[in-house]
Amino acid sequence: MIDNVMDARPEMLLEVQEFEFDTDKTSSFGLNLPTSFQVFNIYSEIRRVLGADAQIVIDQLKKTGTINPNSIPTSDLANLAGSPLLSPFIFFGKGLGLTGITALPITGTLSSNTSTSSTVERATIRAMDGESATFRVGTRFPILSGTFSSFGLGTQGRPSVNSTPQFQYQDLGLTLKAKPHYQSTGDIRLDLELEVLGLGAASLNNVPELTARSFKGNITVREGEPSVIMGAISEQEVRATQGYPGLGQLPVLRAIVNSNTRQRVHNQVLVVVTPRLVRKPFHDTGTSTLWNLGR
C-alpha cells in the first residue's frame, strides 16, 4: 500500500513536428493548329447560296478571278450566313473542279505557372503514463459546393435572378492522439494517431486541392531523442501533346507545330516526434529523496 502511494506515475511531454512542401509547375507552349477543315466546290457553293442569280457571279469569277460584292443581289445576302465563302479559305483546281478549303486561324501558346505551398505544424502535448491525450488545432476552410439561384419579377415586370453561393466547411489542421508508456529501462513507448489536413498547391475550377496525411502505430524511443515516424516523397509528371500525325511526331518540329502541356507535381512530407520526461517515477528519484522526506 505504501509503495503504491509513493510510486508517482510519470508524465511525458510530446513534441510533434510535421513539415510538408508542395510544388506544382505547369507550362504550355506550341502552336494550336486547326484540326478540322471544310472542303467544298466553290461553284456548287455559289449556286447553293445565290440560286438563280449565281450564274452572273460565276461568270465574273471565271473571267476576273474575283467576285465584286456589288454584283450580289441584296436579297441573297441572308443566304450567305454559315457559308464557307465568308471564311478565309484556300483554293486549288481549274474549271468546274475549283475546290476550296477553309483556313482557320492559327494561334500560339507560351505560358508558365508555378505554385508552391508549405505547411509546418508543431504541437506539444502532455500526457500521463498509460493515459490517452488528444490535441487538435486548425481552422475551418470554406469550399464552394454549389450555387442556389432564385428567379423573380421586379416592379416593372422584368425578370431578376439572385444567386446565393453554398459552402461546405472542411476542418484543416492537425489532430494528435497519444498514449505514452514509460518503461523500466528508461525508454518510452508511444501509441500515436496523427492526422494532418491541409491545402495543396493545385486547384480545380478555383477549388483548392486538399492534402491528407495520417499515421497510426507505436514506436519505442529514448527520452529527448527526435525520431522520424513518417516521411514520403512523391513526384508526378504529366505530358500531353496535340497535333498532326506524322509531322507532329518529328523530334524537332514536335515542340513547335504541336500544342504541348507539361505538369510536374512534387510533394515532401516529414513527421518528427520528440518525447521528454517531465516527471519521473518516484522510485527513480533515488534514496536522497526518501531521506529528505523523512527529515
Side-chain angles (χ1 to χ4, degrees):
M1 179 67 69
I2 297 178
D3 293 338
N4 293 334
V5 174
M6 298 180 63
D7 192 10
R9 298 175 65 182
E11 292 186 8
M12 274 71 71
L13 188 69
L14 305 181
E15 297 178 2
V16 180
Q17 294 176 302
E18 190 264 347
F19 307 92
E20 183 171 355
F21 304 96
D22 294 293
T23 303
D24 187 0
K25 295 182 180 180
T26 304
S27 60
S28 301
F29 57 93
L31 298 178
N32 299 318
L33 300 178
T35 57
S36 60
F37 307 91
Q38 184 176 357
V39 182
F40 61 97
N41 183 273
I42 296 179
Y43 296 139
S44 299
E45 182 65 18
I46 294 176
R47 289 191 178 91
R48 186 190 69 82
V49 173
L50 301 182
D53 301 326
Q55 192 59 43
I56 299 176
V57 178
I58 291 176
D59 294 339
Q60 183 183 12
L61 179 61
K62 290 181 179 179
K63 183 177 180 181
T64 63
T66 59
I67 297 177
N68 185 6
N70 296 326
S71 63
I72 301 177
T74 55
S75 58
D76 296 331
L77 294 178
N79 298 331
L80 287 172
S83 174
L85 294 174
L86 296 181
S87 303
F89 64 90
I90 57 177
F91 60 91
F92 60 92
K94 295 182 180 180
L96 298 178
L98 188 63
T99 303
I101 301 178
T102 56
L104 299 179
I106 300 176
T107 60
T109 303
L110 182 61
S111 64
S112 178
N113 183 30
T114 301
S115 59
T116 303
S117 68
S118 60
T119 302
V120 178
E121 297 284 353
R122 178 176 297 176
T124 303
I125 185 172
R126 183 170 178 170
M128 185 175 293
D129 178 50
E131 298 289 340
S132 298
T134 303
F135 176 80
R136 173 167 181 78
V137 62
T139 58
R140 304 196 69 192
F141 185 79
I143 298 177
L144 182 64
S145 59
T147 303
F148 176 77
S149 301
S150 61
F151 300 88
L153 296 177
T155 55
Q156 299 180 357
R158 296 180 179 179
S160 61
V161 180
N162 297 321
S163 298
T164 303
Q166 296 178 344
F167 295 93
Q168 180 180 359
Y169 287 87
Q170 178 67 43
D171 292 331
L172 303 180
L174 182 144
T175 301
L176 173 63
K177 184 178 180 181
K179 186 177 182 180
H181 302 275
Y182 183 78
Q183 299 179 348
S184 59
T185 58
D187 295 337
I188 300 176
R189 186 171 66 89
L190 300 174
D191 297 335
L192 294 175
E193 292 185 21
L194 176 67
E195 183 180 17
V196 179
L197 296 178
L199 297 178
S203 61
L204 179 62
N205 296 330
N206 295 326
V207 178
E209 181 186 62
L210 299 181
T211 60
R213 306 289 182 264
S214 62
F215 171 82
K216 183 178 181 181
N218 56 78
I219 59 173
T220 302
V221 296
R222 299 290 297 177
E223 189 270 333
E225 179 183 73
S227 300
V228 177
I229 63 173
M230 183 177 68
I233 297 178
S234 63
E235 190 86 21
Q236 182 181 10
E237 185 173 0
V238 179
R239 296 188 180 187
T241 182
Q242 180 180 359
Y244 297 149
L247 181 63
Q249 297 176 357
L250 298 178
V252 179
L253 296 179
R254 180 171 52 192
I256 302 176
V257 301
N258 286 6
S259 177
N260 304 277
T261 302
R262 295 179 181 178
Q263 183 180 17
R264 182 182 179 184
V265 180
H266 180 78
N267 175 262
Q268 296 182 15
V269 181
L270 183 67
V271 179
V272 181
V273 59
T274 305
R276 303 186 186 277
L277 192 63
V278 295
R279 188 174 73 177
K280 293 184 178 181
F282 191 79
H283 58 75
D284 285 351
T285 58
T287 56
S288 60
T289 303
L290 294 175
W291 177 258
N292 290 334
L293 290 176
R295 298 177 62 184

